[in-house]
Amino acid sequence: MALTSNTAKEPIVAVMLTGGRVTATFREALFDATACEGLSVNEFCLKATAEKLVASGRRISGLFYPGDLDTARGA
């Protein structure tokens, strides 16, 4: 995953996520999945969110390399 913008017009901004609480089994599954994919928890969650956004028809740009999203439609 890249943290660069596809266009000079689109700024890179931080996403502050705090206060997330889950069950122990959810956390264990999350950490197992991130380890299998070689991603950080943040990268994994952002990728999952991006896949859901793209699948629902939203157009996003600037965060992912081609092929990073496992959806038919891309940015």
Side-chain angles (χ1 to χ4, degrees):
M1 210 171 12
L3 295 179
T4 59
S5 176
N6 284 343
T7 66
K9 297 176 188 175
E10 195 169 351
I12 303 299
V13 297
V15 177
M16 303 298 193
L17 303 174
T18 59
R21 295 174 53 97
V22 297
T23 63
T25 55
F26 181 95
R27 183 179 184 275
E28 182 180 329
L30 175 60
F31 277 68
D32 286 347
T34 62
C36 288
E37 290 200 26
L39 299 173
S40 71
V41 172
N42 285 345
E43 290 170 325
F44 186 88
C45 291
L46 288 173
K47 181 180 175 188
T49 302
E51 289 172 348
K52 185 172 180 77
L53 289 170
V54 170
S56 70
R58 299 291 297 259
R59 296 190 54 79
I60 58 173
S61 65
L63 183 61
F64 301 95
Y65 288 119
D68 275 353
L69 300 180
D70 298 329
T71 60
R73 293 182 283 179

